[in-house]
Structures are given as C-alpha cells and as structure tokens.
Amino acid sequence: MKKTLITLAALSTFAGIAKAQSAVTLYGIADAGVLYTSNVNTPKGGKSLWQLASGNASGSRWGFKGSENLGGGLKAIFQLENGFGINNGTFGQGGRLFGRQAFVGLSSAEFGALTMGRQYNAMQDFVEPFAAAGWSLAQLATHPFDNDNLDNTFRTDNSIKFSSRVISGFQAEAMYAFSNSTSFANNRSYSVGATYVNGPLKFGAAYARMQSPGAIGGAVVGNPSSSGVSDPLISGSRVDQWGAAGSYVFGPATVRLLYTGSLYTDSSTPLTATRGSIHFHNFDGSVSYQLTPTVVLALAESYTGVSQAGDSGHYLQTSAGADYLLSKRTDLYANVFYQKTSGNLHASINAAGGTASGSAQTAVVIGMRHRF
C-alpha cells in the first residue's frame, strides 16, 4: 500500500512538471464589415456592389499554438491556424481545416527555429509587414492581383523553414518546399530573406521562387484566389518575387516605404488573352498616426507598373482609413480606396468584388474587428 501511494505521488509530480513545461494558446480574430464597390463590370455595364464581407482589416481566423520546454534552451513548437469567412461560416483557403498555417518544429535559444509544414515564405515574413496591406488597410490596399503575394494569395505546402535567432537586431530565414513528386523540380519552391531592427528603424528584404507551380500536388498548387492572379501563377513555368522595405517611427507617426517586383514566366495573364511573361513593379509609401490613445489614422499611396507581350500600363491607388479602439481587443474601422489605371487596363481593387468596367474604381468599407 505504501509503495502504491509513493508511485501515485511520483506520477502526479511528473504530470505536474510536464504540465508546467508545456503551454497551449487558443487565439483568433473575428472581422466583418459592410463593403461598397463602385463600377463593377457586368454584362450591362458598370454597377455598384454592396456586400457584407469578412476579413477586411484582418483575416478572420482561429488557431492553436504551443510549446514544450525540452531543456537546455530547446523547445518543441507547433501552430495550427484556420481561416474562415465570418459572414457565412465557411472555411477559407480552399476549404482547408488549417489553411493559414500548420507546422511543427524545434526552437533553440542559441540557434533559432526549424519548422515543417504549411508556412509563410520569406516575402511574407519579412516584406509584408511594411506594406499598407500588411499592417492596417489590409487586403483592399493590396497591389493589383496580389502579384507579389503580400496578401497571402498562397501559402507554401510541404516546406521546411529555418529562422535564425535575432543577433544584434539581425535575423535571417531560408525555406525549401518539396514537390512531393518524382518530377523533383515541378511545383517546388524556395525563399530567403532577412530583417534588421535598430530602435525606431526597421528593414526587411526577401526573394522567393516557385518552379512550375501548376504541377499537381506540390508546394503551391491548390491555393485559390479571387484576385485573378491565381491563373498566371499556376499556369506559368516559373514565378519569381522579390522585395525590400523599411520603416521609421517618429513619435506617434510611423512611415513605411516598400518596393516589390514579380515575374511570371510563360503564363496566362489578366492583361491579354495571350501567353507570355508578365512583369510587375510595385512601389508604395504609407504613414500611420496615433492621433489619440484610441484613434489611429492611416494613409497610403501605391504605384504598380506592368508589362506583357508588348502591352504595358500602370495602376495608381490611394488608400486611407481610421481606426477607433473600443478596447485593447476590439476596434471599429472605416477605410476608403480609389484606384486609377492607364492605357487599356481596367481598375481592379483587390478583394473589392470584381474588375471595373473602366479605368477607375472606388471601395469603402466600415467594420468591426475583435481579437481573442
């Protein structure tokens, strides 16, 4: 009897230790609002569109993340994150249960983290945070057709990623994603990037390549998008994306500058009916200002130049918004977007509901966001 009690006491102690060394967090964002879009192209000409839309300021999501202390500065880590439409309760990311992120790995205080699964690449980790679409004005401020993937048109499946620890403000990252096919090079992907932080000053730069992304069952295929860029993405023989950005904090104001480029080799295109290489250059500048402890204002201007098969043009977009904080977790937002194009290009504000019938389009959204 005495041995049994000692054994039970020991098991209880070990269980308590294991519990103390492990941590799991449930988290999420619920975001919905009313979205108005002008001049959406229809068989009868340009018409206005009213929608109740999900994920206007932040993509609606819920997820689990956790770690287990293995000793010696080493931890086992994981994250499972689902995306959904709060307006209709459906799964996002093509119906995946954990379509936003799903990975497991090890984290070392001395070296960094090694993770495996469905993950963000270096462009998304190190360049996206500086874009107007990455920090405040969200998907409606995305560059046309999300050509540089800063609004996460796709995540990367079958990937292994190493992220270094931060050393004197510097951090680097490298990712490789398998095709999971005997045709090794078809639908594989890799990316590299780095970031540097020194007080109010931040920089980020990255490069990503997708090789034959339309092949079945690899790193990229099956990541649908309503933006229109998914067709050239999955039909091209190669996709290259690159970018660099920086920001500086001046008291209550933060200024951000960004450049990205993307090259879709031998692909279909939203510009013409022919196949060929399509090249995008994106520039944007933005500023956010903490007007009061509860009011944040934002303004952004972006330019996208595009060329393909002898055709070329550009998109100009102005984005502005205001955010009112009801609490640390809940806020109300109101954003407005205006896009103007040149040449034969039709305006197309990302995620606004459709391409315009002409060269100009306006979108306005008013909504609420809650974090938990």
Side-chain angles (χ1 to χ4, degrees), residues 46-127:
K47 300 290 184 182
S48 60
L49 175 65
W50 291 86
Q51 304 172 74
L52 180 65
S54 174
N56 304 294
S58 297
S60 296
R61 72 197 74 171
W62 63 269
F64 300 95
K65 58 183 176 180
S67 65
E68 181 187 10
N69 191 344
L70 303 175
L74 188 65
K75 293 182 179 181
I77 58 174
F78 80 92
Q79 188 163 357
L80 303 171
E81 187 173 277
N82 164 269
F84 65 93
I86 197 170
N87 58 317
N88 54 22
T90 57
F91 286 149
Q93 294 76 53
R96 291 173 172 83
L97 177 58
F98 295 112
R100 291 181 63 89
Q101 297 184 81
F103 64 80
V104 64
L106 294 172
S107 174
S108 166
E110 183 177 1
F111 299 105
L114 182 68
T115 52
M116 300 174 290
R118 177 175 170 84
Q119 304 178 84
Y120 295 107
N121 67 21
M123 282 286 291
Q124 295 159 305
D125 285 338
F126 290 151
V127 179

Side-chain angles (χ1 to χ4, degrees), residues 83-207:
F84 65 93
I86 197 170
N87 58 317
N88 54 22
T90 57
F91 286 149
Q93 294 76 53
R96 291 173 172 83
L97 177 58
F98 295 112
R100 291 181 63 89
Q101 297 184 81
F103 64 80
V104 64
L106 294 172
S107 174
S108 166
E110 183 177 1
F111 299 105
L114 182 68
T115 52
M116 300 174 290
R118 177 175 170 84
Q119 304 178 84
Y120 295 107
N121 67 21
M123 282 286 291
Q124 295 159 305
D125 285 338
F126 290 151
V127 179
E128 179 185 336
F130 297 93
W135 56 270
S136 177
L137 298 166
Q139 60 181 344
L140 291 158
T142 300
H143 302 138
F145 313 109
D146 194 25
N147 66 85
D148 49 11
N149 197 35
L150 298 190
D151 192 41
N152 310 320
T153 290
F154 69 89
R155 278 82 170 172
T156 307
D157 293 342
N158 309 322
S159 64
I160 297 178
K161 178 165 71 174
F162 174 73
S163 302
S164 74
R165 72 180 181 93
V166 179
I167 303 174
S168 300
F170 177 83
Q171 184 180 29
E173 173 184 301
M175 170 192 278
Y176 183 85
F178 291 88
S179 66
N180 279 11
S181 168
T182 54
S183 299
F184 187 77
N186 285 341
N187 204 344
R188 66 175 175 174
S189 177
Y190 57 83
S191 65
V192 293
T195 187
Y196 176 74
V197 180
N198 186 357
L201 182 66
K202 296 182 180 180
F203 288 106
Y207 168 79

Side-chain angles (χ1 to χ4, degrees), residues 27-47:
Y27 66 93
I29 298 176
D31 180 315
V34 176
L35 171 61
Y36 164 81
T37 309
S38 73
N39 195 24
V40 175
N41 193 25
T42 71
K44 296 184 178 181
K47 300 290 184 182

Side-chain angles (χ1 to χ4, degrees), residues 21 23 62-63 132 152 191 237 247 291 297 345:
Q21 291 179 335
W62 63 269
N152 310 320
S191 65
S237 61
S247 68
L291 185 64
L297 305 179
L345 297 178

